[in-house]
Amino acid sequence: MSTENLEYKNSMDRLESILTRIDNSEMGIDELSDQVKEATELLKKCRQILLKTEQNVQEALNSLEEESGKEQG
């Protein structure tokens, strides 16, 4: 598993843990603010990883299309 995949998985696991605790009212109001801030940062991190992955996939597909066009041309 790549470092980025592990980072994404760990972030999602932590986010799920925070959301579960919020849903179950397992934290006080003071802790809630800190947890919401952490969850926001985790979401930003996951979004960046997903956007980078999307870009890499698109570049790979474009490369494949270019190669296919060269073979046909």
Side-chain angles (χ1 to χ4, degrees):
M1 183 178 285
S2 75
T3 303
E4 208 163 63
N5 285 343
L6 186 59
E7 186 176 350
Y8 182 83
K9 182 184 179 328
N10 289 340
S11 294
M12 289 302 292
D13 288 346
R14 177 66 181 141
L15 184 58
E16 185 176 330
S17 172
I18 291 170
L19 293 175
T20 298
R21 290 187 67 217
I22 290 171
D23 284 344
N24 294 333
S25 301
E26 295 179 2
M27 64 182 76
I29 195 73
D30 294 332
E31 187 181 5
L32 178 63
S33 176
D34 291 336
Q35 295 296 295
V36 169
K37 288 177 187 176
E38 182 181 353
T40 301
E41 292 303 314
L42 290 167
L43 286 169
K44 287 178 185 178
K45 182 188 297 187
C46 289
R47 183 172 186 268
Q48 288 173 342
I49 292 170
L50 289 173
L51 289 172
K52 183 177 178 184
T53 300
E54 179 183 24
Q55 181 181 7
N56 290 342
V57 168
Q58 190 60 49
E59 288 173 4
L61 291 174
N62 289 343
S63 175
L64 182 61
E65 287 177 8
E66 289 174 10
E67 288 298 318
S68 180
K70 288 179 185 177
E71 289 174 5
Q72 292 177 2

